[in-house]
């Protein structure tokens, strides 16, 4: 996982818990990484999950609640940092459709060592007999080379 | 944790982050540099790759069409910045925005995918070249076309090659289709047929669709295992004679040739199949023909040999036999010259002659001549040689066919002798015939003449009866002799026609007139009808026509007991000036069974052998008639059934009269046109004949078949206001006869006014007095002559008779009798009976004649009478010592000196035409055939009298 996500998580926690509680929470995590996270760096996924787990413990939120809140925070921050990925889209649907392309091409372009996930979208549409249109996103296991 | 500690931690963390980032940047910078280096290397590599491409390669900016990259093929050397693609792509050098030619780049942008177009552009040399252009879009991340690669391949040569290939293929297909040989292609492995030409379809008898895809082995049932051997790839062609199985199950003999070929990477077999049927037949025929000719050659009785300049090449068995050789080898070892004597019978040199003959054969294609050969034993013999030049296997040869004609020569000589003898015999026969004719006629002449004289004397009725019998018998005998003579003449082909101009209708009417009496004696009705279209004047032999008609009509009388004999003459379509007439003589007699129809015209034949006795006659009449008809260019036949009467038909051709236009009165007589006439006759043929005659004069005619019917018709016509102006009434009708009818008519005022012409059978003139009483205008004897009928009608109706009629009735002027007696006549005649007869005839008519017994005596008498010369000499032709010809010649010789000319008339029993010619050639002036008829004798004398006696001028004028 790229350092930018760690930085965003740190920023999210910092804003919601305050600097002191945030520092305590980080120190309470047993992380493989010793030095501070920097955006261009790459870090083990376990470290991120350790921070999330510790957050759930500290805040008493459920894990989905915590991840959802982080996601909401994240998307705006990413939109600010990488406008070309978002500007072209008017709705979520068209954006979601570009996820794979974005990760594969752009992320890899910037970070050759990145291992982006593959997003598989299964669409059920009203036109095909469903009562609503929904996207079900599945994350392919990391490390699978996606073409 | 206090704020200070927190702050310190934060700073330490930030410092740590900065340090990490610095390291990262350094790392990144280094790797960027390396990447840049790599990129440059790659670009250079790519540029090189593009540059060495053999075809034009350009990268174009999709937005503004600038050329971003190009290789050397596209353009050599640098390009100014901002050069647009159209300036570089030849043939597209027009602005990209030109709407008339949609820019491929725009097309690709629009479609969003690669495009392949072909187009033709002119090169610098002015030749057109074909290009295949690939336009490949380059997309950005968002899928927009940002750049375009144009890669153009010059396919001019490819296209040319392809076109050439197509043409070549078309040509090959055309050639194969036109082949008289069947061509089949099949897969060498599967044996499936892949292609055939039309000839194969024709041979197999199935359409191409059915054959292609089939296994070829099925069509070659005799091939079997050999087929595999045939089909070894790489092997040269193999040829075999076998059968091709047709769809209908029949087999066609073929010559099959197989050639392996590679098609589309697979081994195939090309099979040519040639129909061998005709050749096989021809070969069989050739073999048979060869066998036939060999047999003919070997079995020929003629010696046949084949030679070239070196000597004999072949000969048949007859050759060996003819020349006396034992073996062929023996014969072949000889020289052709050995077989001829040194000289030929005519003294010419054999060797020299052979060379000449050979040259003639080569020149003319053949040479045929007589030759003298010599056998092995030295015997010479005569042969006929036929030399035929021929070319065999490129060598000139001569075939010599030699026929031994020794016996033929002998036969020819014999034949010539026989022919001469036969000719002599034939001549003798003709001479004999003439003599016989003379010898028989002369005594008959005596018998008839003397009988006539006898009957002029006072005789008892018994004597008169016997004398009459003698005369009739003699006349019958004369008829028989004439028939026999005619027949003999026909047999000897000495009968000739004597064509003169004559009047057809008159001639026929004369015949009927002479026979009318016989008809009425026997109670038969004799009628005649001549078609109106028949010409009046014709050229032909009237005597012979008369003979035929008398024969046929006489025949009809002979075999008809009751009823009628009807003669009709019709016209067949004319050819040129010639008239083709169809005569028919129909009777109501006993008839002839059909199987006898052919033989009635044969000599000595009548319907029934027994009838000869019943009916008499020589039986030659029809034979003679048939020959005469043939000579007149016609044919004769009979239609008859026993009991139903017979009709004898004949046709004859007559020429147009030499005198020119016919003197006959016009058929449509203006005076008679439209005159109402009724014909009353119970006989249908007679009615028809009369109607035809009347209608030919445009008369308005009705007919009635009985008196009662006639009365009814007359009354009816009167009531209708169209009364009859004339009635033709047959005197002899059953029930109410002619006279009865006329009486009934006279009894009624209106009817009585109609003028009547009465038609009576011959010999029934007795009731003329009664007729006059009844006011009958004219009597005519049946059968009615057209001219007599015309005259009678004209007279009856008071119309002036035609000029022609007057001329006809006027007779030639005859010198007064008293003057005739002054004629001085010399009769040269050896036969005492004839001397007496002729003198008596002359004396009876007031002439005195001097008699000389032979030619010598006649010449002497002529010389003695110089003081008062003879006016006429009647000269018998056949006399002892000096005959009539010699005597005439002698007299003419004497006259030459005196400058006088005595009229000499030949008397001869030789009734042949050649005799007459001979008489005239001998210097005689006229000719009388024996037996001499008083009439003809007097006519001849009258002719002389007119010349001999100096007539008064007035008479000359009257004659003119």
């Amino acid at each position: 996982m790229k350092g930018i996500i760690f930085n965003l998580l740190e920023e999210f926690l910092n804003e919601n818990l305050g600097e002191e509680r945030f520092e305590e929470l980080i120190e309470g995590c047993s992380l493989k990484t010793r030095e501070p996270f920097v955006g261009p760096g790459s870090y083990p996924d376990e470290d991120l999950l350790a921070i999330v787990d510790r957050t759930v413990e500290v805040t008493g939120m459920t894990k989905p609640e915590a991840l959802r809140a982080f996601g909401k925070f994240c998307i705006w921050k990413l939109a600010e940092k990488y406008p070309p990925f978002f500007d072209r889209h008017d709705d979520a649907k068209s954006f979601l459709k570009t996820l794979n392309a974005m990760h594969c091409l752009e992320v890899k372009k910037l970070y050759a060592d990145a291992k982006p996930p593959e997003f598989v979208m299964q669409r059920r549409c009203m036109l095909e007999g469903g009562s609503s249109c929904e996207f079900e996103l599945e994350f392919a296991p990391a490390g699978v080379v996606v073409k | 944790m206090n704020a200070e500690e927190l702050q310190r931690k934060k700073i330490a963390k930030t410092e740590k982050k900065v340090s990490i980032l610095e390291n990262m940047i350094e790392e990144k910078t280094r790797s960027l540099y390396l990447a840049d280096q790599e990129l440059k290397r790659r670009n250079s590599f790519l540029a090189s790759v593009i540059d060495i491409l053999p075809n034009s390669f350009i990268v174009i900016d999709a937005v503004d069409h600038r050329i971003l990259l190009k290789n050397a093929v596209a353009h050599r050397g640098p390009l100014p910045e901002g050069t647009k693609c159209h300036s570089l792509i030849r043939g597209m050098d027009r602005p990209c925005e030109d709407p008339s030619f949609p820019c491929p780049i725009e097309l690709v942008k629009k479609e969003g995918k690669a495009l392949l177009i072909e187009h033709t552009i002119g090169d610098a040399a002015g030749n057109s070249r074909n290009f295949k252009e690939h336009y490949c879009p380059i997309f950005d991340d968002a899928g927009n076309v940002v750049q375009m690669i144009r890669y153009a391949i010059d396919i001019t040569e490819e296209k040319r090659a392809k076109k050439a290939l197509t043409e070549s293929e078309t040509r090959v297909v055309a050639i194969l289709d036109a082949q008289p040989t069947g061509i089949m292609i099949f897969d060498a492995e599967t044996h499936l047929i892949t292609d055939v030409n039309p000839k194969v379809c024709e041979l197999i008898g199935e359409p191409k669709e059915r054959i292609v895809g089939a296994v070829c082995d099925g069509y070659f049932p005799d091939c079997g295992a050999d087929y595999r051997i045939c089909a070894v790839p790489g092997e040269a062609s193999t040829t075999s004679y076998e059968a091709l199985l047709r769809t209908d199950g029949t087999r066609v003999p073929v010559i099959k040739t197989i050639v392996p070929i590679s098609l589309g990477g697979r081994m195939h077999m090309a099979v040519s199949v040639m129909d061998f049927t005709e050749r096989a037949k021809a070969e069989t025929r050739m073999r048979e023909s060869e066998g036939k000719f060999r047999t003919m050659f070997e079995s020929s009785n003629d010696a046949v040999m084949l030679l070239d300049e070196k000597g004999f090449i072949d000969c048949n068995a007859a050759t060996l036999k003819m020349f006396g050789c034992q073996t062929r080898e023996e014969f072949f070892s000889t020289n052709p010259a050995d077989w001829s004597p040194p000289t030929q019978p005519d003294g010419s040199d054999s060797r020299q002659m052979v060379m000449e003959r050979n040259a003639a054969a080569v020149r003319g294609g053949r040479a045929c001549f007589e030759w003298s050969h010599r056998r092995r034993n030295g015997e010479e013999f005569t042969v006929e040689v036929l030399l035929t030049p021929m070319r065999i296997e490129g060598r000139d040869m001569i075939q010599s066919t030699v026929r031994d004609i020794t016996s033929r020569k002998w036969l020819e000589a014999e034949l010539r002798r026989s022919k001469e003898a036969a000719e002599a015999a034939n001549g003798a026969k003709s001479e004999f015939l003439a003599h016989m004719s003379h010898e028989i006629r002369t005594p008959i002449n005596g018998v008839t003449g003397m009988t006539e004289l006898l009957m002029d004397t006072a005789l008892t009725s018994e004597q008169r009866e016997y004398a009459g019998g003698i005369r009739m018998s003699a006349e019958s005998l004369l008829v028989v002799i004439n028939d026999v003579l005619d027949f003999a003449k026909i047999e000897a082909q000495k009968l000739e026609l004597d064509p003169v101009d004559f009047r057809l209708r008159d001639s026929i009417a004369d015949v009927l007139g002479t026979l009318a009496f016989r008809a009425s004696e026997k109670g038969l009705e004799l009628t005649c009808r001549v078609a109106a279209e028949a010409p009046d004047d014709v050229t032909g032999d009237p005597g012979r026509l008369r003979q035929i008609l008398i024969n046929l009509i006489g025949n009809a009388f002979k075999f008809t007991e009751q009823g009628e004999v009807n003669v009709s003459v019709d016209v067949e379509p004319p050819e040129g000036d010639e008239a083709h007439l169809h005569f028919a003589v129909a009777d109501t007699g006993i008839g002839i069974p059909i199987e006898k129809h052919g033989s009635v015209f044969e000599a000595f034949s009548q319907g029934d052998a027994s009838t000869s006795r019943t009916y008499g006659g020589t039986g030659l009449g029809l034979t003679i008639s048939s020959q005469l008809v043939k000579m007149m260019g016609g044919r004769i036949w009979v239609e008859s059934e026993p009991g139903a009467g017979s009709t004898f038909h004949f046709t004859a051709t007559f020429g147009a009269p030499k005198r020119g236009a016919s003197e006959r009165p016009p058929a449509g007589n203006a005076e008679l046109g439209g005159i109402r006439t009724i014909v009353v006759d119970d006989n249908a043929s007679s009615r028809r004949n009369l109607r035809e005659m009347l209608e030919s004069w445009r008369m308005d005619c009705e007919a009635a078949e009985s008196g009662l019917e006639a009365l009814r018709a007359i009354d009816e016509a009167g009531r209708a206001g169209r009364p009859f102006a004339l009635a033709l009434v047959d005197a002899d009708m059953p029930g109410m006869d002619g006279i009865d009818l006329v009486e009934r008519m006279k009894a009624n005022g209106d009817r009585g006014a109609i003028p009547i012409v009465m038609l009576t059978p011959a010999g029934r003139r007795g009731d003329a007095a009664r007729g006059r009483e009844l006011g009958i205008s004219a009597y005519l004897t049946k059968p009615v002559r057209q001219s007599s009928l015309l005259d009678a009608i004209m007279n009856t109706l008071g119309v002036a008779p035609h000029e022609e009629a007057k001329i006809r009735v006027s007779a030639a002027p005859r010198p007064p009798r008293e003057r005739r007696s002054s004629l001085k006549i010399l009769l040269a005649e050896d036969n005492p009976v004839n001397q007496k007869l002729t003198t008596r005839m002359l004396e009876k008519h007031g002439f005195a004649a001097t008699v000389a017994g032979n030619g010598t005596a006649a010449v002497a008498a002529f010389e003695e009478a110089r003081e008062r010369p003879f006016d006429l000499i009647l000269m018998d032709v056949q006399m002892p010592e000096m005959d009539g010809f010699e005597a005439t010649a002698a007299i003419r010789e004497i006259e030459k000196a005196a400058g006088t000319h005595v009229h000499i008339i030949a008397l001869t029993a030789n009734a042949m035409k050649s005799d007459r010619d001979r008489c005239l050639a001998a210097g005689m002036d006229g000719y009388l055939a024996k037996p001499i008829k008083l009439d003809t004798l007097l006519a001849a004398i009258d002719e002389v009298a007119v010349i001999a006696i100096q007539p008064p001028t007035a008479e000359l004028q009257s004659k003119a």
Side-chain angles (χ1 to χ4, degrees):
Chain A
M1 183 64 75
K2 295 306 293 182
I4 186 169
I5 301 301
F6 286 87
N7 287 157
L8 282 170
L9 186 57
E10 281 172 341
E11 200 179 337
F12 172 68
L13 295 172
N14 211 353
E15 269 184 27
N16 286 290
L17 300 175
E19 268 182 61
E20 199 173 334
R21 283 185 71 189
F22 164 67
E23 283 298 333
E24 281 171 8
L25 189 146
I26 292 294
E27 277 171 16
C29 297
S30 54
L31 299 174
K32 288 181 177 168
T33 307
R34 291 285 153 210
E35 66 270 24
F37 300 107
V38 291
S42 292
Y43 307 99
D45 290 353
E46 292 92 320
D47 284 359
L48 189 75
L49 293 173
I51 295 169
V52 172
D53 288 344
R54 183 70 188 150
T55 305
V56 168
E57 273 176 39
V58 170
T59 60
M61 292 165 82
T62 62
K63 196 173 181 177
E65 278 171 355
L67 283 173
R68 185 172 290 273
F70 175 55
K72 275 188 177 173
F73 173 81
C74 243
I75 200 77
W76 292 113
K77 292 288 179 189
L78 285 168
E80 276 167 33
K81 280 183 188 283
Y82 305 101
F85 294 145
F86 294 86
D87 287 355
R88 276 182 260 159
H89 304 292
D90 293 329
D91 55 23
K93 187 176 161 189
S94 81
F95 171 73
L96 286 171
K97 279 168 86 176
T98 64
L99 281 182
N100 274 324
M102 192 203 298
H103 282 80
C104 278
L105 294 172
E106 304 302 332
V107 175
K108 280 278 209 181
K109 224 186 272 174
L110 289 174
Y111 309 102
D113 55 345
K115 290 172 182 160
E118 190 197 3
F119 302 95
V120 177
M121 278 171 277
Q122 283 187 342
R123 192 183 57 162
R124 253 181 224 132
C125 182
M126 287 167 85
L127 291 173
E128 290 166 351
S131 60
S132 62
C133 288
E134 58 181 83
F135 288 96
E136 209 171 85
L137 299 182
E138 280 176 19
F139 293 85
V144 174
V145 179
V146 177
K147 287 191 174 180
Chain B
M1 196 181 293
N2 60 26
E4 194 184 331
E5 197 179 353
L6 203 62
Q7 194 63 33
R8 204 179 60 242
K9 248 184 184 173
K10 219 168 153 183
I11 291 167
K13 202 173 175 180
T14 308
E15 279 174 354
K16 184 77 184 164
K17 275 194 184 181
V18 169
S19 158
I20 291 168
L21 284 172
E22 275 175 350
N23 286 337
M24 277 184 158
I25 288 166
E26 198 179 326
E27 178 91 359
K28 200 75 182 173
T29 307
R30 199 172 63 246
S31 75
L32 274 177
Y33 173 76
L34 288 174
D36 190 44
Q37 289 295 308
E38 175 65 15
L39 193 64
K40 277 182 178 156
R41 196 184 57 78
R42 280 194 186 186
N43 276 349
S44 158
F45 169 75
L46 206 60
S48 313
V49 168
I50 292 169
D51 244 6
I52 61 162
L53 283 177
N55 296 301
S56 164
F57 186 96
I58 304 170
V59 181
I60 305 160
D61 187 303
V63 178
D64 58 11
H65 295 201
R66 270 183 309 117
I67 291 171
L68 302 175
L69 192 65
K70 54 92 192 159
N71 67 355
V73 179
H75 187 266
R76 206 167 286 282
L79 276 174
E81 187 67 27
T83 303
K84 294 224 175 176
C85 66
H86 62 77
S87 64
L88 202 56
I89 303 169
R90 228 176 293 161
M92 279 177 61
D93 51 352
R94 53 183 118 188
C96 301
E97 299 78 23
D98 186 346
S100 66
F101 183 78
C103 178
I105 295 167
E106 294 304 320
L107 216 60
V108 172
K109 267 161 79 179
K110 207 169 127 195
E111 297 281 327
K113 60 180 185 190
L115 184 71
L116 175 62
I117 60 167
E118 260 184 43
H119 77 269
T120 308
I121 55 178
D123 68 3
N127 300 315
S128 68
R129 299 197 74 83
N130 300 89
F131 285 91
K132 196 185 260 180
E133 298 181 338
H134 294 265
Y135 288 90
C136 301
I138 300 170
F139 298 95
D140 65 4
D141 296 340
N144 298 311
V145 178
V146 286
Q147 290 175 355
M148 189 84 67
I149 293 171
R150 174 191 177 269
Y151 186 65
I153 304 166
D154 188 339
I155 54 161
T156 311
E157 294 310 318
E158 187 190 325
K159 274 203 107 121
R160 197 171 291 156
K162 210 167 177 179
K163 194 179 164 204
L165 189 66
T166 312
E167 280 174 4
S168 156
E169 253 175 34
T170 311
R171 200 161 47 234
V172 168
V173 167
I175 290 169
L176 290 185
D177 283 1
Q179 281 297 308
T181 308
I183 293 168
M184 176 189 275
I185 293 168
F186 66 89
D187 188 297
E189 192 186 320
T190 61
H191 285 207
L192 293 179
I193 296 167
T194 57
D195 200 1
V196 292
N197 74 344
K199 183 67 190 178
V200 168
C201 304
E202 188 191 311
L203 282 173
I204 292 177
E206 260 192 327
K208 186 173 176 176
E209 309 84 76
R210 303 275 300 269
I211 301 172
V212 169
V215 177
C216 71
D217 304 34
Y219 293 116
F220 299 101
D222 302 339
C223 185
D226 291 350
Y227 212 80
R228 308 282 164 187
I229 300 164
C230 298
V232 171
E235 189 161 304
S237 65
T238 49
T239 301
S240 54
Y241 293 83
E242 55 187 78
L244 176 73
L245 187 65
R246 288 174 51 88
T247 310
D248 60 13
T250 55
R251 286 166 174 241
V252 184
V254 292
I255 302 178
K256 193 178 80 182
T257 305
I258 299 191
V259 185
I261 53 165
S262 176
L263 289 175
R266 282 185 72 84
M267 187 52 68
H268 283 72
M269 292 290 155
V271 187
S272 89
V273 183
M274 196 155 73
D275 188 348
F276 194 57
T277 316
E278 285 311 312
R279 243 178 80 188
K281 273 189 201 159
E283 277 181 10
T284 309
R285 272 201 299 273
M286 184 81 92
R287 262 198 308 282
E288 286 171 0
S289 166
E290 208 176 295
K292 190 169 76 191
F293 284 114
R294 176 48 67 174
T295 310
M296 279 161 66
F297 175 70
E298 281 305 339
S299 62
S300 169
N301 282 327
D302 295 342
V304 183
M305 56 213 108
L306 204 58
L307 313 89
D308 65 4
E309 71 279 1
K310 292 197 198 86
F312 295 113
I313 296 167
D314 198 1
C315 75
N316 63 355
T319 309
L320 304 180
K321 196 175 157 201
M322 186 180 287
F323 291 105
C325 280
Q326 294 302 318
T327 62
R328 274 171 218 267
E329 289 66 36
E330 184 192 344
F331 183 71
F332 290 161
S333 67
T334 63
N335 190 309
D338 299 346
W339 302 105
S340 299
T343 55
Q344 289 297 305
D346 64 356
S348 54
D349 180 61
S350 292
R351 209 173 276 267
Q352 180 67 30
M353 287 299 282
V354 163
M355 267 152 63
E356 278 176 25
R357 301 297 189 190
N358 279 349
V362 170
R363 216 169 35 242
R366 70 198 291 269
C368 190
F369 52 92
E370 276 186 20
W371 191 253
S372 194
H373 263 314
R374 194 162 61 184
R375 296 190 218 279
R376 173 127 283 196
N377 63 13
E379 181 197 342
E380 285 186 22
F381 59 109
T382 311
V383 296
E384 190 180 74
V385 179
L386 173 65
L387 295 181
T388 318
M390 44 177 70
R391 206 172 160 78
I392 300 170
E393 289 162 4
R395 284 162 65 200
D396 285 319
M397 300 186 188
I398 280 191
Q399 178 187 279
S400 172
T401 308
V402 177
R403 175 171 296 181
D404 189 337
I405 57 166
T406 314
S407 53
R408 195 180 85 190
K409 278 283 202 199
W410 181 83
L411 273 174
E412 271 174 13
E414 194 62 16
L415 207 61
R416 208 161 31 239
R417 277 193 296 277
S418 308
K419 183 173 168 260
E420 278 159 9
E423 275 168 1
N426 198 36
K429 186 180 154 195
S430 291
E431 198 68 11
F432 171 75
L433 203 66
H435 274 291
M436 278 305 288
S437 160
H438 175 78
E439 295 304 332
I440 297 169
R441 276 161 188 270
T442 304
I444 292 177
N445 201 12
V447 174
T448 49
M450 284 300 179
T451 311
E452 253 175 45
L453 292 177
L454 180 66
M455 287 174 82
D456 275 355
T457 61
L459 295 174
T460 66
S461 59
E462 200 178 2
Q463 285 168 334
R464 186 165 296 279
E465 196 188 326
Y466 296 158
I470 294 169
R471 192 178 63 180
M472 232 168 78
S473 302
E475 278 173 358
S476 300
L477 185 58
L478 200 59
V479 169
V480 172
I481 287 168
N482 281 340
D483 272 0
V484 173
L485 185 64
D486 272 348
F487 181 70
K489 279 195 266 189
I490 287 165
E491 286 286 279
Q493 294 185 343
K494 286 210 168 173
L495 190 78
E496 286 166 56
L497 293 183
D498 188 10
V500 294
D501 293 350
F502 71 98
R503 302 181 72 90
L504 179 72
R505 283 181 177 74
D506 289 354
S507 189
I508 294 167
D510 283 343
V511 173
L512 282 130
T514 56
L515 293 167
F517 187 75
R518 269 178 70 188
S520 82
E521 263 185 343
K522 211 172 173 183
L524 298 173
E525 179 113 20
L526 178 62
T527 64
C528 177
R529 177 186 64 84
V530 180
E533 315 87 80
D536 211 30
D537 294 293
V538 290
T539 301
D541 191 331
R544 295 301 182 183
L545 176 61
R546 181 187 166 90
Q547 191 177 353
I548 300 166
L549 284 172
I550 287 177
N551 244 319
L552 296 183
I553 298 169
N555 224 39
F557 286 165
K558 201 152 52 164
F559 296 105
T560 307
E561 286 311 316
Q562 55 181 11
E564 61 180 83
V565 174
N566 186 18
V567 180
S568 66
V569 185
D570 286 298
V571 183
E572 297 197 334
E575 270 171 38
D577 283 346
E578 290 184 338
H580 297 274
L581 300 180
H582 177 178
F583 297 82
V585 177
D587 64 45
T588 54
I590 58 168
I592 305 163
I594 192 142
E595 62 272 16
K596 295 276 174 63
H597 286 189
S599 63
V600 293
F601 299 106
E602 284 169 18
F604 309 108
S605 155
Q606 280 182 350
D608 177 349
S610 66
T611 55
S612 339
R613 278 179 278 285
T614 317
Y615 298 102
T618 56
L620 288 175
L622 287 178
T623 312
I624 293 163
S625 297
S626 139
Q627 289 299 323
L628 291 174
V629 165
K630 221 176 272 175
M631 291 173 78
M632 290 181 179
R635 62 191 194 94
I636 189 164
W637 70 100
V638 63
E639 286 169 4
S640 177
E641 263 179 55
S646 309
T647 304
F648 279 82
H649 298 266
F650 71 95
T651 60
T653 301
F654 295 92
K658 293 181 193 73
R659 285 199 297 257
S662 166
E663 291 164 21
R664 189 183 170 217
N669 212 311
E671 295 93 330
L672 297 179
I675 288 176
R676 297 266 296 147
T677 311
I678 183 162
V679 172
V680 192
D681 196 328
D682 62 311
N683 182 292
S685 334
S686 178
R687 249 187 344 262
R688 196 180 63 237
N689 296 348
L690 288 167
R691 276 191 79 144
E692 275 186 21
M693 286 188 211
L694 296 175
E695 277 165 2
S696 77
W697 299 318
R698 310 257 160 85
M699 295 175 78
D700 182 2
C701 191
E702 277 181 34
E705 55 182 89
S706 71
L708 283 175
E709 200 187 312
L711 291 172
R712 234 186 344 262
I714 290 164
D715 288 345
E716 225 163 81
R719 273 197 299 278
R722 298 179 65 232
F724 290 106
L726 180 66
L728 301 185
V729 179
D730 181 24
D732 195 14
M733 290 187 289
M736 185 191 295
D737 72 8
I739 297 293
D740 294 341
L741 173 64
V742 176
E743 278 172 352
R744 294 276 289 274
M745 281 168 72
K746 293 295 170 193
N748 176 311
D750 289 340
R751 293 175 189 157
I754 302 172
I756 292 157
V757 173
M758 184 68 80
L759 311 171
T760 64
R764 281 271 303 269
R765 307 212 75 152
D767 38 16
R770 175 84 184 110
R772 258 197 304 283
E773 241 170 69
L774 288 168
I776 290 168
S777 312
Y779 274 95
L780 283 174
T781 310
K782 285 172 92 176
V784 178
R785 273 172 80 142
Q786 196 162 1
S787 57
S788 319
L789 181 64
L790 181 63
D791 288 347
I793 293 172
M794 295 280 202
N795 285 331
T796 304
L797 297 177
V799 181
H802 203 276
E803 219 33 43
E804 170 76 6
K806 276 188 195 161
I807 292 164
R808 203 183 299 126
V809 295
S810 72
R814 180 173 276 208
R817 178 145 303 193
E818 62 275 13
R819 290 208 184 149
R820 293 196 280 166
S821 57
S822 60
L823 277 180
K824 214 173 156 218
I825 298 174
L826 172 65
L827 172 67
E829 167 68 69
D830 60 321
N831 186 300
V833 177
N834 281 346
Q835 276 177 8
K836 195 170 278 176
L837 178 64
T838 312
T839 342
R840 281 292 297 134
M841 271 189 194
L842 293 170
E843 278 167 4
K844 273 190 77 176
H845 289 86
F847 299 105
T850 310
V851 179
N854 59 43
T856 322
V859 175
F862 174 76
E863 280 195 305
E864 268 169 34
R866 271 203 190 145
E867 292 299 309
R868 193 165 165 265
F870 291 105
D871 297 308
L872 172 67
I873 301 176
L874 298 172
M875 180 79 78
D876 186 13
V877 172
Q878 282 160 312
M879 289 183 293
E881 282 184 47
M882 183 190 274
D883 69 15
F885 298 125
E886 288 173 81
T888 305
I891 291 167
R892 292 294 181 229
E893 194 58 38
I894 294 161
E895 281 182 335
K896 228 180 240 177
T900 56
H901 183 93
V902 63
H903 208 82
I904 302 178
I905 293 176
L907 305 176
T908 173
N910 297 359
M912 298 200 182
K913 184 171 178 273
S914 54
D915 294 333
R916 192 183 70 179
D917 294 343
R918 217 174 137 202
C919 293
L920 298 180
M924 300 189 190
D925 300 292
Y927 167 98
L928 288 174
K930 287 182 180 179
I932 310 249
K933 286 265 163 63
L934 190 61
D935 277 359
T936 47
L937 179 62
L938 291 178
I941 291 170
D942 283 349
E943 214 171 290
V944 177
V946 171
I947 302 159
I949 299 165
Q950 298 302 313
T953 326
E955 276 186 16
L956 262 181
Q957 278 170 348
S958 85
K959 192 173 193 229

